Amino acid sequence: MTDWSLKINGLLKSKSFRYGLPFILLMIGSSFALEQFSQIRYRVAKRSPVTPELLEGYGVKMKKPGEVTLETEYEKIKNLDIDNWTNIRGPRPWEK
């Protein structure tokens, strides 16, 4: 074998090359990946928040914040009979 092939063979079998190099590459690569993921936070933050006027333009009706409370929802379902019910099977996609 030539001198180069012996050196490359020895390098491939060394623990520094087999375990250290992949670890270093992982650390450097993950820093670049983390940078890309952190950029998403700033790109999303630049967008304007959704306003009720914008939603009304799309046909979404929003209730006022004080209109829906835990107590009002409890009053709606307080008189429901949950002990007597029947299980109704919905249609499967292939049965339509």
Side-chain angles (χ1 to χ4, degrees):
M1 290 189 149
T2 63
D3 189 38
W4 284 100
S5 63
L6 289 175
K7 286 183 182 181
I8 291 175
N9 234 2
L11 181 67
L12 291 176
K13 290 182 180 180
S14 72
K15 285 189 178 183
S16 298
F17 186 79
R18 291 183 66 199
Y19 300 113
L21 186 64
F23 180 72
I24 298 295
L25 290 176
L26 178 74
M27 299 309 282
I28 293 171
S30 62
S31 71
F32 287 111
L34 187 60
E35 177 187 3
Q36 295 301 318
F37 283 122
S38 64
Q39 287 294 326
I40 294 171
R41 177 173 129 192
Y42 297 112
R43 279 188 237 139
V44 171
K46 290 180 183 177
R47 294 184 182 177
S48 62
V50 179
T51 61
E53 295 82 23
L54 181 64
L55 289 175
E56 286 177 7
Y58 288 112
V60 176
K61 307 284 186 197
M62 288 187 63
K63 295 182 180 179
K64 295 180 181 174
E67 191 175 335
V68 180
T69 62
L70 188 59
E71 289 81 15
T72 58
E73 294 300 314
Y74 175 71
E75 291 297 326
K76 286 181 189 176
I77 63 168
K78 181 171 61 171
N79 296 327
L80 289 177
D81 184 20
I82 59 171
D83 293 328
N84 299 322
W85 58 277
T86 57
N87 191 10
I88 301 172
R89 180 179 168 265
R92 302 296 189 260
W94 58 87
E95 294 176 347
K96 290 182 180 183

